[in-house]
């Protein structure tokens, strides 16, 4: 398939790119700034860059350091709006979005981000300030925008506090809107496997799903 990836320079995006190429797909990596082997395109103004693609992957983050990430948190709902608008003229193109765990349910209708002391737990959990909750809330806002759309979107929220490079086992646990009870974080490599499995065999059109470590 013809796959385009926004955020292809990030930890997750790089692994999705590698996994897609390993499986023989034709992949275009998009960057706002012209980079080696990347096509210049802005996720906030995708325009004709996504023309002819079968699947668009939105794996962007809001910044590598916490302060930048907090400042740029609005990129998540803004990119959702821009991509959904661009896909209005391309109804056959599918969109796969990589989000966070904060909007997963810990009980019916209650999200992880709404749990007592969530923001205060972030310094110890992720090594980021409590204000980072702004990023989590922005990701949840983006999910709400996707859910209001009739485009062919899929939203993936890993049941992990932190996604890091690791081993590619090819195994993972699959779930829906509820946070999985896992004992270890899924590696970026296995998350990429889950993304490509969904691309090749769509099971969650217009739905959110979660994956977790099989360990």
């Amino acid at each position: 398939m013809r796959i385009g990836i926004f955020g292809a320079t990030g930890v997750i995006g790089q692994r999705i790119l590698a996994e897609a190429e390993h499986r023989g797909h034709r992949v275009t990596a998009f960057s706002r700034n012209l980079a080696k082997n990347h096509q210049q395109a802005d996720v906030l103004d995708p325009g004709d860059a996504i023309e002819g693609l079968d699947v668009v992957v939105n794996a962007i983050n809001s910044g590598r350091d916490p302060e930048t990430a907090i400042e740029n948190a609005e990129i998540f709902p803004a990119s959702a709006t821009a991509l959904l608008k661009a896909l209005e003229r391309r109804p056959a193109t599918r969109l796969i979005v990589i989000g966070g765990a904060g909007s997963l349910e810990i009980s019916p209708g209650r999200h992880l981000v709404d749990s007592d002391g969530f923001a205060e737990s972030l310094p110890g959990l992720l090594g980021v300030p409590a204000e980072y909750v702004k990023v989590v809330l922005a990701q949840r806002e983006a999910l709400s925008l996707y859910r209001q759309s009739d485009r062919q979107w899929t939203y993936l929220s890993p049941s992990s506090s932190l996604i890091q490079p690791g081993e590619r086992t090819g195994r993972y646990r699959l779930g829906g809107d509820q946070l999985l009870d896992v004992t270890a974080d899924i590696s970026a490599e296995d998350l990429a496997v889950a993304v490509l499995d969904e691309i090749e065999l769509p099971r969650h059109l217009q739905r959110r799903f979660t994956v977790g470590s099989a360990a």
Side-chain angles (χ1 to χ4, degrees), residues 4-17:
I5 303 174
F6 288 96
T9 60
V11 169
I12 296 173
Q14 287 183 46
R15 274 72 189 177
I16 296 173
L17 174 63

Side-chain angles (χ1 to χ4, degrees), residues 188-209:
E189 284 76 6
D190 280 341
L191 182 62
V193 171
V195 171
L196 266 296
D197 286 350
E198 176 67 25
I199 286 174
E200 293 178 343
L201 183 63
R203 290 184 286 178
H204 302 92
L205 288 176
Q206 296 188 332
R207 293 170 56 196
R208 188 258 296 277
F209 73 107

